[in-house]
Amino acid sequence: MYCMGSCNRGVMFSPPLHRQRHQFVVDFVRRNKPRKVADLGCGECSLLKKLKFHREIELLVGVDINGARVKKKMHGLAPIPTDYLQPSYDQLCVELYQGSVTQKDVRLRGFDLVTSIELIEHLTPVDVERFSEVVFGYMTPVAVVISTPNSEFNPLFPGLAGFRHSDHKFEWTRTEFQSWALKVCLDFGYEVEFTGVGKAPPGQQERVGFCSQIGVFQRLGGRDGLNTFGDDGDDVFSYTLLYSINYPSLRDNNILRRVLVSEVVFWAEKLKKRCLEKTGERDDTRRLCLTEGGMNECLSMSERRMEMEEKLTAAGASEMKNPLEQLGGGVPEDVEVFWTNGRGQQDSCRLHRCVSVPLAVLWSCSPKISALSGTLGNLRCVLMEESEVKLSQDGSAVLVQEQDLEEEEDHNDLEDSVYVEASQCSRGAEQEEDWVSVA
């Protein structure tokens, strides 16, 4: 958007022109979803800070000849606390280098996208030739976005004499920029589209063009296209690495296990609390389960849990209803409560008060648990190796210790255990018929 400023400030843009240039790159990334992106002349990393939120990018690299300038702002690219607390499936590595765009470095080869925003005009004519050879001939990216000032727009800036910046070595007209770009395409096997940002005032756009002209280069053949111009022998490492960080990702097995265990503990505690609130109103059921028949029923529960797990796995996580959503966030009406010892063994002389939450219940109640583990078998294997989680003897349920012992009516040395089963966690009448209510 263009507007005229007051107090002789002349041409102004909203949003500011530098933001429009960065937004152009962001929009290109959204459309094309490159995995490896490098920004040449990254400066204070402002464009990289926008691109790091586009998690289709797996490798994000910045290069600038001014290392001190990069170091000043590079820590703004570090992960924030939520990246560690809620890691995504996507991988992201950020690397920053000090180096010249006229020098080759093998670590910058084969990228999906290379950007050069308002950089080329800072190079001498000789360095422009080297820049062309390095970027298009050696790096051979799939796409290149280059922006540079359009000198035809300069008369619209009142009081501007010479170039827009004291360090500019030249400023091209549209014809000069297009001539250079077309020669690059011919020499290195690319095609180019011309556009820009920063529109001229009404009625002058065709005459002067955009304030910043942009060339979008695409390698012929795209990702599958072969470019042999850069195959020139030994690997070269001319850049100095200033900063490197890997964002936490669920593709890291250690992080995946930590998040999965954390989610299991959270849901087990949540279901334990709701179960105890529900069963606290049914003292007759508790007393009934202390009978010999109730204990025998507890011992047969593992078989019914296994049947439930098999049916849940066969049905698939995507077809299951969340029982807590289905029942308004409560515990299903036919939750069965039993008193047994912490290991599910009848011959123990001491009982431990805990809630036993079947893995099948956790797997179907939490979409995140099912997504992270994939199958009930995987979930069981992971939890069996985690000391933070205690499983039942047959490995089919998580045992959660209850801590409110002072409210226990029985003042003997026996601690009670509650066993929870939720038949509503999978869909269909067949599952419901497998559950036998306590009589």
Side-chain angles (χ1 to χ4, degrees):
M1 181 178 179
Y2 165 85
C3 61
M4 293 298 296
S6 58
C7 301
N8 295 322
R9 287 181 296 175
V11 179
M12 297 178 60
F13 297 97
S14 180
L17 195 59
H18 71 279
R19 292 185 183 178
Q20 292 189 42
R21 291 191 289 258
H22 289 173
Q23 188 61 46
F24 183 93
V25 175
V26 168
D27 292 340
F28 183 92
V29 168
R30 285 175 178 165
R31 292 192 306 269
N32 295 275
K33 304 188 183 307
R35 294 186 298 272
K36 297 172 64 177
V37 178
D39 182 32
L40 306 181
C42 63
E44 296 183 350
C45 309
S46 55
L47 176 57
L48 298 178
K49 290 175 185 177
K50 293 180 174 67
L51 294 178
K52 76 170 188 173
F53 293 104
H54 296 267
R55 299 304 291 270
E56 63 269 14
I57 299 175
E58 297 178 359
L59 177 59
L60 187 58
V61 172
V63 179
D64 200 280
I65 197 169
N66 189 336
R69 190 181 181 193
V70 173
K71 290 179 180 178
K72 184 178 179 181
K73 298 290 185 178
M74 64 185 185
H75 294 291
L77 291 167
I80 59 179
T82 55
D83 291 319
Y84 292 98
L85 295 174
Q86 298 178 341
S88 69
Y89 288 98
D90 305 307
Q91 292 177 306
L92 174 60
C93 175
V94 177
E95 295 176 353
L96 300 177
Y97 295 93
Q98 179 179 1
S100 170
V101 295
T102 63
Q103 294 178 308
K104 300 175 182 178
D105 191 296
V106 70
R107 290 167 290 187
L108 271 289
R109 296 197 69 185
F111 275 57
D112 298 302
L113 173 63
V114 167
T115 63
S116 173
I117 308 302
E118 307 295 288
L119 166 68
I120 197 170
E121 64 274 7
H122 293 270
L123 305 177
T124 65
V126 173
D127 283 342
V128 170
E129 292 299 317
R130 293 174 181 167
F131 171 86
S132 304
E133 294 172 1
V134 169
V135 174
F136 295 96
Y138 181 78
M139 295 182 183
T140 64
V142 176
V144 183
V145 174
I146 294 179
S147 79
T148 188
N150 169 22
S151 63
E152 295 175 73
F153 197 97
N154 288 354
L156 298 182
F157 293 104
L160 177 64
F163 299 146
R164 299 182 192 177
H165 192 279
S166 60
D167 189 56
H168 287 184
K169 306 302 187 294
F170 61 87
E171 290 180 0
W172 278 329
T173 65
R174 287 175 288 175
T175 299
E176 291 170 331
F177 178 52
Q178 292 172 15
S179 177
W180 169 81
L182 292 172
K183 183 177 185 301
V184 163
C185 293
L186 182 63
D187 290 344
F188 302 107
Y190 282 78
E191 58 185 0
V192 63
E193 178 183 347
F194 299 104
T195 182
V197 294
K199 289 186 176 181
Q204 301 189 56
Q205 180 66 36
E206 185 176 350
R207 181 176 64 86
V208 301
F210 291 100
C211 185
S212 282
Q213 51 189 334
I214 295 175
V216 179
F217 299 79
Q218 299 280 354
R219 192 172 72 196
L220 296 177
R223 286 189 173 91
D224 298 327
L226 296 178
N227 191 328
T228 60
F229 293 101
D231 298 333
D232 58 354
D234 296 337
D235 293 342
V236 180
F237 297 87
S238 59
Y239 297 164
T240 301
L241 180 64
L242 301 177
Y243 182 77
S244 178
I245 187 72
N246 287 306
Y247 275 59
S249 168
L250 293 173
R251 297 187 190 183
D252 183 319
N253 285 335
N254 292 328
I255 294 177
L256 174 63
R257 294 173 72 94
R258 173 178 61 81
V259 174
L260 178 57
V261 170
S262 176
E263 192 73 8
V264 166
V265 170
F266 169 79
W267 273 95
E269 288 287 346
K270 187 174 184 178
L271 293 173
K272 178 199 78 172
K273 180 179 179 181
R274 292 181 178 178
C275 170
L276 294 177
E277 290 174 353
K278 192 77 173 179
T279 58
E281 304 170 359
R282 303 193 299 187
D283 294 336
D284 56 331
T285 305
R286 291 188 176 189
R287 288 192 292 271
L288 178 62
C289 292
L290 285 171
T291 65
E292 181 178 356
M295 291 298 291
N296 290 335
E297 188 72 22
C298 291
L299 296 176
S300 66
M301 274 300 189
S302 62
E303 298 178 2
R304 293 195 286 171
R305 288 199 302 268
M306 296 303 293
E307 288 185 33
M308 181 182 179
E309 291 180 6
E310 292 175 0
K311 291 178 179 179
L312 285 171
T313 302
S318 63
E319 299 180 0
M320 297 177 194
K321 293 180 180 178
N322 187 328
L324 297 181
E325 295 177 359
Q326 180 180 345
L327 298 171
V331 177
E333 288 299 326
D334 50 355
V335 164
E336 298 181 283
V337 182
F338 298 92
W339 294 85
T340 181
N341 66 356
R343 300 187 186 90
Q345 297 173 332
Q346 188 175 0
D347 57 356
S348 174
C349 62
R350 182 175 179 81
L351 299 180
H352 297 277
R353 182 179 177 86
C354 64
V355 175
S356 179
V357 183
L359 299 186
V361 173
L362 291 168
W363 195 74
S364 59
C365 284
S366 169
K368 189 171 183 179
I369 291 177
S370 61
L372 292 173
S373 58
T375 67
L376 283 168
N378 291 342
L379 178 60
R380 183 183 293 109
C381 289
V382 170
L383 297 181
M384 287 178 66
E385 300 176 3
E386 293 292 333
S387 58
E388 186 179 347
V389 177
K390 184 176 181 181
L391 295 181
S392 60
Q393 189 176 33
D394 61 3
S396 64
V398 173
L399 304 180
V400 188
Q401 190 77 31
E402 188 191 357
Q403 299 175 353
D404 300 329
L405 299 180
E406 56 274 357
E407 296 181 4
E408 180 57 48
E409 295 179 0
D410 187 356
H411 298 287
N412 295 328
D413 245 353
L414 291 181
E415 295 178 353
D416 299 310
S417 169
V418 181
Y419 178 73
V420 183
E421 288 287 0
S423 65
Q424 295 290 333
C425 282
S426 66
R427 192 169 53 180
E430 292 182 1
Q431 285 88 343
E432 296 178 358
E433 293 174 358
D434 287 337
W435 296 94
V436 180
S437 59
V438 179

PDB file of all heavy atoms in Angstrom, residues 278-303:
ATOM      1  N   LYS A 278     -16.550 -40.712  41.825  1.00  0.00           N
ATOM      2  CA  LYS A 278     -17.747 -41.460  41.455  1.00  0.00           C
ATOM      3  C   LYS A 278     -18.021 -42.587  42.434  1.00  0.00           C
ATOM      4  O   LYS A 278     -19.135 -42.794  42.886  1.00  0.00           O
ATOM      5  CB  LYS A 278     -17.566 -42.026  40.045  1.00  0.00           C
ATOM      6  CG  LYS A 278     -18.834 -42.578  39.433  1.00  0.00           C
ATOM      7  CD  LYS A 278     -19.731 -41.467  38.951  1.00  0.00           C
ATOM      8  CE  LYS A 278     -20.922 -42.022  38.190  1.00  0.00           C
ATOM      9  NZ  LYS A 278     -21.810 -40.937  37.731  1.00  0.00           N
ATOM     10  N   THR A 279     -16.976 -43.329  42.782  1.00  0.00           N
ATOM     11  CA  THR A 279     -17.167 -44.499  43.638  1.00  0.00           C
ATOM     12  C   THR A 279     -17.287 -44.127  45.100  1.00  0.00           C
ATOM     13  O   THR A 279     -17.695 -44.951  45.915  1.00  0.00           O
ATOM     14  CB  THR A 279     -15.997 -45.475  43.471  1.00  0.00           C
ATOM     15  OG1 THR A 279     -14.771 -44.790  43.804  1.00  0.00           O
ATOM     16  CG2 THR A 279     -15.917 -45.986  42.051  1.00  0.00           C
ATOM     17  N   GLY A 280     -16.935 -42.898  45.446  1.00  0.00           N
ATOM     18  CA  GLY A 280     -17.071 -42.485  46.833  1.00  0.00           C
ATOM     19  C   GLY A 280     -18.508 -42.501  47.302  1.00  0.00           C
ATOM     20  O   GLY A 280     -18.782 -42.554  48.506  1.00  0.00           O
ATOM     21  N   GLU A 281     -19.474 -42.486  46.367  1.00  0.00           N
ATOM     22  CA  GLU A 281     -20.880 -42.489  46.724  1.00  0.00           C
ATOM     23  C   GLU A 281     -21.448 -43.904  46.805  1.00  0.00           C
ATOM     24  O   GLU A 281     -22.624 -44.082  47.068  1.00  0.00           O
ATOM     25  CB  GLU A 281     -21.660 -41.696  45.681  1.00  0.00           C
ATOM     26  CG  GLU A 281     -21.152 -40.277  45.502  1.00  0.00           C
ATOM     27  CD  GLU A 281     -21.789 -39.609  44.307  1.00  0.00           C
ATOM     28  OE1 GLU A 281     -22.602 -40.285  43.626  1.00  0.00           O
ATOM     29  OE2 GLU A 281     -21.493 -38.432  44.046  1.00  0.00           O
ATOM     30  N   ARG A 282     -20.593 -44.926  46.540  1.00  0.00           N
ATOM     31  CA  ARG A 282     -21.112 -46.289  46.452  1.00  0.00           C
ATOM     32  C   ARG A 282     -20.409 -47.188  47.455  1.00  0.00           C
ATOM     33  O   ARG A 282     -19.672 -48.094  47.109  1.00  0.00           O
ATOM     34  CB  ARG A 282     -20.920 -46.822  45.026  1.00  0.00           C
ATOM     35  CG  ARG A 282     -21.588 -45.947  43.991  1.00  0.00           C
ATOM     36  CD  ARG A 282     -21.671 -46.610  42.647  1.00  0.00           C
ATOM     37  NE  ARG A 282     -20.349 -46.932  42.107  1.00  0.00           N
ATOM     38  CZ  ARG A 282     -20.170 -47.389  40.874  1.00  0.00           C
ATOM     39  NH1 ARG A 282     -21.205 -47.586  40.080  1.00  0.00           N
ATOM     40  NH2 ARG A 282     -18.954 -47.661  40.433  1.00  0.00           N
ATOM     41  N   ASP A 283     -20.590 -46.906  48.743  1.00  0.00           N
ATOM     42  CA  ASP A 283     -19.939 -47.690  49.788  1.00  0.00           C
ATOM     43  C   ASP A 283     -20.363 -49.144  49.756  1.00  0.00           C
ATOM     44  O   ASP A 283     -19.602 -50.036  50.096  1.00  0.00           O
ATOM     45  CB  ASP A 283     -20.256 -47.101  51.169  1.00  0.00           C
ATOM     46  CG  ASP A 283     -19.629 -45.723  51.323  1.00  0.00           C
ATOM     47  OD1 ASP A 283     -18.646 -45.464  50.610  1.00  0.00           O
ATOM     48  OD2 ASP A 283     -20.137 -44.933  52.130  1.00  0.00           O
ATOM     49  N   ASP A 284     -21.637 -49.415  49.363  1.00  0.00           N
ATOM     50  CA  ASP A 284     -22.101 -50.800  49.314  1.00  0.00           C
ATOM     51  C   ASP A 284     -21.300 -51.589  48.288  1.00  0.00           C
ATOM     52  O   ASP A 284     -20.999 -52.769  48.480  1.00  0.00           O
ATOM     53  CB  ASP A 284     -23.588 -50.837  48.977  1.00  0.00           C
ATOM     54  CG  ASP A 284     -23.888 -50.102  47.683  1.00  0.00           C
ATOM     55  OD1 ASP A 284     -23.151 -49.157  47.339  1.00  0.00           O
ATOM     56  OD2 ASP A 284     -24.866 -50.488  47.022  1.00  0.00           O
ATOM     57  N   THR A 285     -20.953 -50.972  47.189  1.00  0.00           N
ATOM     58  CA  THR A 285     -20.154 -51.658  46.170  1.00  0.00           C
ATOM     59  C   THR A 285     -18.768 -51.967  46.707  1.00  0.00           C
ATOM     60  O   THR A 285     -18.226 -53.038  46.458  1.00  0.00           O
ATOM     61  CB  THR A 285     -20.036 -50.779  44.922  1.00  0.00           C
ATOM     62  OG1 THR A 285     -21.341 -50.428  44.484  1.00  0.00           O
ATOM     63  CG2 THR A 285     -19.291 -51.498  43.812  1.00  0.00           C
ATOM     64  N   ARG A 286     -18.200 -51.035  47.473  1.00  0.00           N
ATOM     65  CA  ARG A 286     -16.866 -51.283  48.024  1.00  0.00           C
ATOM     66  C   ARG A 286     -16.893 -52.491  48.968  1.00  0.00           C
ATOM     67  O   ARG A 286     -16.048 -53.357  48.900  1.00  0.00           O
ATOM     68  CB  ARG A 286     -16.391 -50.046  48.797  1.00  0.00           C
ATOM     69  CG  ARG A 286     -16.083 -48.844  47.913  1.00  0.00           C
ATOM     70  CD  ARG A 286     -15.435 -47.758  48.721  1.00  0.00           C
ATOM     71  NE  ARG A 286     -15.062 -46.647  47.891  1.00  0.00           N
ATOM     72  CZ  ARG A 286     -14.321 -45.633  48.318  1.00  0.00           C
ATOM     73  NH1 ARG A 286     -13.899 -45.610  49.563  1.00  0.00           N
ATOM     74  NH2 ARG A 286     -14.007 -44.644  47.509  1.00  0.00           N
ATOM     75  N   ARG A 287     -17.870 -52.537  49.837  1.00  0.00           N
ATOM     76  CA  ARG A 287     -17.927 -53.639  50.794  1.00  0.00           C
ATOM     77  C   ARG A 287     -18.147 -54.953  50.072  1.00  0.00           C
ATOM     78  O   ARG A 287     -17.589 -55.984  50.432  1.00  0.00           O
ATOM     79  CB  ARG A 287     -19.053 -53.376  51.806  1.00  0.00           C
ATOM     80  CG  ARG A 287     -18.721 -52.263  52.792  1.00  0.00           C
ATOM     81  CD  ARG A 287     -19.733 -52.268  53.933  1.00  0.00           C
ATOM     82  NE  ARG A 287     -21.055 -51.874  53.466  1.00  0.00           N
ATOM     83  CZ  ARG A 287     -21.467 -50.619  53.440  1.00  0.00           C
ATOM     84  NH1 ARG A 287     -20.675 -49.649  53.844  1.00  0.00           N
ATOM     85  NH2 ARG A 287     -22.678 -50.317  53.012  1.00  0.00           N
ATOM     86  N   LEU A 288     -18.963 -54.925  49.013  1.00  0.00           N
ATOM     87  CA  LEU A 288     -19.250 -56.134  48.269  1.00  0.00           C
ATOM     88  C   LEU A 288     -17.995 -56.703  47.638  1.00  0.00           C
ATOM     89  O   LEU A 288     -17.772 -57.909  47.623  1.00  0.00           O
ATOM     90  CB  LEU A 288     -20.276 -55.835  47.179  1.00  0.00           C
ATOM     91  CG  LEU A 288     -20.655 -57.011  46.257  1.00  0.00           C
ATOM     92  CD1 LEU A 288     -21.284 -58.133  47.065  1.00  0.00           C
ATOM     93  CD2 LEU A 288     -21.590 -56.548  45.165  1.00  0.00           C
ATOM     94  N   CYS A 289     -17.124 -55.820  47.144  1.00  0.00           N
ATOM     95  CA  CYS A 289     -15.937 -56.275  46.440  1.00  0.00           C
ATOM     96  C   CYS A 289     -14.891 -56.833  47.377  1.00  0.00           C
ATOM     97  O   CYS A 289     -13.919 -57.426  46.926  1.00  0.00           O
ATOM     98  CB  CYS A 289     -15.332 -55.133  45.634  1.00  0.00           C
ATOM     99  SG  CYS A 289     -16.397 -54.638  44.264  1.00  0.00           S
ATOM    100  N   LEU A 290     -15.038 -56.635  48.688  1.00  0.00           N
ATOM    101  CA  LEU A 290     -14.101 -57.210  49.632  1.00  0.00           C
ATOM    102  C   LEU A 290     -14.402 -58.672  49.924  1.00  0.00           C
ATOM    103  O   LEU A 290     -13.639 -59.331  50.601  1.00  0.00           O
ATOM    104  CB  LEU A 290     -14.110 -56.417  50.938  1.00  0.00           C
ATOM    105  CG  LEU A 290     -13.401 -55.061  50.870  1.00  0.00           C
ATOM    106  CD1 LEU A 290     -13.674 -54.281  52.146  1.00  0.00           C
ATOM    107  CD2 LEU A 290     -11.917 -55.253  50.673  1.00  0.00           C
ATOM    108  N   THR A 291     -15.511 -59.169  49.388  1.00  0.00           N
ATOM    109  CA  THR A 291     -15.840 -60.579  49.616  1.00  0.00           C
ATOM    110  C   THR A 291     -14.967 -61.460  48.755  1.00  0.00           C
ATOM    111  O   THR A 291     -14.293 -61.013  47.836  1.00  0.00           O
ATOM    112  CB  THR A 291     -17.308 -60.848  49.269  1.00  0.00           C
ATOM    113  OG1 THR A 291     -17.478 -60.641  47.862  1.00  0.00           O
ATOM    114  CG2 THR A 291     -18.233 -59.915  50.023  1.00  0.00           C
ATOM    115  N   GLU A 292     -14.977 -62.728  49.017  1.00  0.00           N
ATOM    116  CA  GLU A 292     -14.156 -63.649  48.251  1.00  0.00           C
ATOM    117  C   GLU A 292     -14.553 -63.636  46.786  1.00  0.00           C
ATOM    118  O   GLU A 292     -13.707 -63.677  45.888  1.00  0.00           O
ATOM    119  CB  GLU A 292     -14.314 -65.062  48.811  1.00  0.00           C
ATOM    120  CG  GLU A 292     -13.461 -66.089  48.083  1.00  0.00           C
ATOM    121  CD  GLU A 292     -13.608 -67.470  48.690  1.00  0.00           C
ATOM    122  OE1 GLU A 292     -14.307 -67.607  49.696  1.00  0.00           O
ATOM    123  OE2 GLU A 292     -13.003 -68.395  48.127  1.00  0.00           O
ATOM    124  N   GLY A 293     -15.843 -63.532  46.521  1.00  0.00           N
ATOM    125  CA  GLY A 293     -16.297 -63.476  45.140  1.00  0.00           C
ATOM    126  C   GLY A 293     -15.762 -62.255  44.438  1.00  0.00           C
ATOM    127  O   GLY A 293     -15.401 -62.304  43.269  1.00  0.00           O
ATOM    128  N   GLY A 294     -15.709 -61.121  45.148  1.00  0.00           N
ATOM    129  CA  GLY A 294     -15.181 -59.902  44.559  1.00  0.00           C
ATOM    130  C   GLY A 294     -13.720 -60.033  44.221  1.00  0.00           C
ATOM    131  O   GLY A 294     -13.250 -59.580  43.184  1.00  0.00           O
ATOM    132  N   MET A 295     -12.970 -60.726  45.106  1.00  0.00           N
ATOM    133  CA  MET A 295     -11.556 -60.916  44.830  1.00  0.00           C
ATOM    134  C   MET A 295     -11.355 -61.815  43.618  1.00  0.00           C
ATOM    135  O   MET A 295     -10.486 -61.569  42.788  1.00  0.00           O
ATOM    136  CB  MET A 295     -10.871 -61.533  46.058  1.00  0.00           C
ATOM    137  CG  MET A 295     -10.784 -60.590  47.256  1.00  0.00           C
ATOM    138  SD  MET A 295      -9.805 -59.115  46.903  1.00  0.00           S
ATOM    139  CE  MET A 295      -8.193 -59.857  46.773  1.00  0.00           C
ATOM    140  N   ASN A 296     -12.163 -62.864  43.499  1.00  0.00           N
ATOM    141  CA  ASN A 296     -12.060 -63.733  42.335  1.00  0.00           C
ATOM    142  C   ASN A 296     -12.370 -62.962  41.059  1.00  0.00           C
ATOM    143  O   ASN A 296     -11.764 -63.192  40.020  1.00  0.00           O
ATOM    144  CB  ASN A 296     -13.018 -64.919  42.462  1.00  0.00           C
ATOM    145  CG  ASN A 296     -12.570 -65.891  43.557  1.00  0.00           C
ATOM    146  OD1 ASN A 296     -11.386 -65.949  43.890  1.00  0.00           O
ATOM    147  ND2 ASN A 296     -13.520 -66.635  44.112  1.00  0.00           N
ATOM    148  N   GLU A 297     -13.354 -62.045  41.139  1.00  0.00           N
ATOM    149  CA  GLU A 297     -13.699 -61.229  39.969  1.00  0.00           C
ATOM    150  C   GLU A 297     -12.514 -60.367  39.563  1.00  0.00           C
ATOM    151  O   GLU A 297     -12.245 -60.174  38.388  1.00  0.00           O
ATOM    152  CB  GLU A 297     -14.905 -60.346  40.297  1.00  0.00           C
ATOM    153  CG  GLU A 297     -15.473 -59.594  39.113  1.00  0.00           C
ATOM    154  CD  GLU A 297     -16.190 -60.515  38.158  1.00  0.00           C
ATOM    155  OE1 GLU A 297     -16.608 -61.607  38.588  1.00  0.00           O
ATOM    156  OE2 GLU A 297     -16.302 -60.130  36.981  1.00  0.00           O
ATOM    157  N   CYS A 298     -11.760 -59.869  40.549  1.00  0.00           N
ATOM    158  CA  CYS A 298     -10.597 -59.057  40.240  1.00  0.00           C
ATOM    159  C   CYS A 298      -9.563 -59.852  39.464  1.00  0.00           C
ATOM    160  O   CYS A 298      -8.935 -59.354  38.537  1.00  0.00           O
ATOM    161  CB  CYS A 298      -9.942 -58.529  41.520  1.00  0.00           C
ATOM    162  SG  CYS A 298     -10.921 -57.315  42.403  1.00  0.00           S
ATOM    163  N   LEU A 299      -9.373 -61.108  39.858  1.00  0.00           N
ATOM    164  CA  LEU A 299      -8.359 -61.924  39.216  1.00  0.00           C
ATOM    165  C   LEU A 299      -8.713 -62.250  37.775  1.00  0.00           C
ATOM    166  O   LEU A 299      -7.839 -62.511  36.960  1.00  0.00           O
ATOM    167  CB  LEU A 299      -8.146 -63.209  40.016  1.00  0.00           C
ATOM    168  CG  LEU A 299      -7.583 -63.024  41.435  1.00  0.00           C
ATOM    169  CD1 LEU A 299      -7.508 -64.348  42.143  1.00  0.00           C
ATOM    170  CD2 LEU A 299      -6.215 -62.378  41.379  1.00  0.00           C
ATOM    171  N   SER A 300      -9.996 -62.232  37.439  1.00  0.00           N
ATOM    172  CA  SER A 300     -10.389 -62.550  36.064  1.00  0.00           C
ATOM    173  C   SER A 300     -10.424 -61.320  35.166  1.00  0.00           C
ATOM    174  O   SER A 300     -10.680 -61.433  33.982  1.00  0.00           O
ATOM    175  CB  SER A 300     -11.778 -63.198  36.054  1.00  0.00           C
ATOM    176  OG  SER A 300     -12.741 -62.269  36.481  1.00  0.00           O
ATOM    177  N   MET A 301     -10.162 -60.148  35.722  1.00  0.00           N
ATOM    178  CA  MET A 301     -10.267 -58.921  34.953  1.00  0.00           C
ATOM    179  C   MET A 301      -9.236 -58.841  33.828  1.00  0.00           C
ATOM    180  O   MET A 301      -9.486 -58.247  32.795  1.00  0.00           O
ATOM    181  CB  MET A 301     -10.101 -57.700  35.859  1.00  0.00           C
ATOM    182  CG  MET A 301     -11.394 -57.266  36.493  1.00  0.00           C
ATOM    183  SD  MET A 301     -12.590 -56.834  35.235  1.00  0.00           S
ATOM    184  CE  MET A 301     -13.834 -56.150  36.265  1.00  0.00           C
ATOM    185  N   SER A 302      -8.055 -59.397  34.028  1.00  0.00           N
ATOM    186  CA  SER A 302      -7.014 -59.260  33.012  1.00  0.00           C
ATOM    187  C   SER A 302      -7.451 -59.850  31.685  1.00  0.00           C
ATOM    188  O   SER A 302      -7.127 -59.329  30.617  1.00  0.00           O
ATOM    189  CB  SER A 302      -5.727 -59.945  33.481  1.00  0.00           C
ATOM    190  OG  SER A 302      -5.954 -61.330  33.674  1.00  0.00           O
ATOM    191  N   GLU A 303      -8.221 -60.975  31.719  1.00  0.00           N
ATOM    192  CA  GLU A 303      -8.689 -61.562  30.471  1.00  0.00           C
ATOM    193  C   GLU A 303      -9.623 -60.603  29.739  1.00  0.00           C
ATOM    194  O   GLU A 303      -9.553 -60.453  28.521  1.00  0.00           O
ATOM    195  CB  GLU A 303      -9.407 -62.881  30.763  1.00  0.00           C
ATOM    196  CG  GLU A 303      -8.501 -63.931  31.398  1.00  0.00           C
ATOM    197  CD  GLU A 303      -9.260 -65.207  31.725  1.00  0.00           C
ATOM    198  OE1 GLU A 303     -10.474 -65.256  31.411  1.00  0.00           O
ATOM    199  OE2 GLU A 303      -8.653 -66.136  32.265  1.00  0.00           O
TER     200      GLU A 303
END
